Amino acid sequence: MTEQHSALDAARLHCRSLQEALDGLRLNGLPRIADWGGHLASVLSGGGRLLAAGNGGSAAQAQHLTAELVGRYRRERRAFSALALHAETSSVTAIGNDYGFDHVYARQVVAHGRPGDVLMLLSTSGRSANLIAAAVAGRRAGLRIWALTGPGPNPLAEAAHEALCVEAGSTATVQETHLVAVHLLCESFDTAVSTPLARRAAAVPGRTS
């Protein structure tokens, strides 16, 4: 009985922590996510690409995002270009073997990224060296860098052009909140992508329809 009560207490604490993180996302993060969705719709509709990367659970979140864009979220629409860099297993292992794990994403960003593209980096700690290196490489290549991280300030948020930092005490809660943010981004993207292309493309410097 004691073990059962302990498990229930832990579950309640987990749910309370998640609710607090979601409250923070609702109060502070929704305008940024809406802006990101609109900008991403302009970039991808204009022929641009989203690159995404993370480590561990954050890699799964990055791949979830790209799958929703290449496939669909809720509404039927055309496919858009989005790559989860960790899923390029031969590239990841070759680069890691030849150059070191800190370079597995930066080198792919240089290979695949083009000026005006978006690079989304997900990290619960905000301190992953390979993601920070990718942000630096992306900036040099002219990409727009967004970061989804845990509590700020942190080095990845500082390396990005814009960041959404989830204030939560556990890695699990940050990851769960990141998944909600990913779905909200997809919702914002789908809403924006249904507007006339000329209006979206005009908002992205250097992009033509």
Side-chain angles (χ1 to χ4, degrees), residues 50-88:
L50 172 74
L51 305 179
N55 298 304
S58 295
Q61 304 280 27
Q63 194 165 355
H64 189 130
L65 172 59
T66 59
E68 302 282 27
L69 295 172
V70 176
R72 67 179 180 189
Y73 178 57
R74 290 185 180 177
R75 309 169 195 171
E76 189 60 48
R77 52 158 169 72
R78 73 176 180 87
F80 292 93
S81 181
L83 297 175
L85 300 181
H86 71 277
E88 295 290 320

Side-chain angles (χ1 to χ4, degrees), residues 22 25 60-62 64-65 68 73 122 148 166 172-186:
L22 290 174
L25 178 67
Q61 304 280 27
H64 189 130
L65 172 59
E68 302 282 27
Y73 178 57
L122 298 90
L148 272 178
V166 173
T173 301
V174 172
Q175 287 180 335
E176 289 156 1
T177 308
H178 280 180
L179 178 57
V180 174
V182 164
H183 281 163
L184 293 175
L185 176 59
C186 291

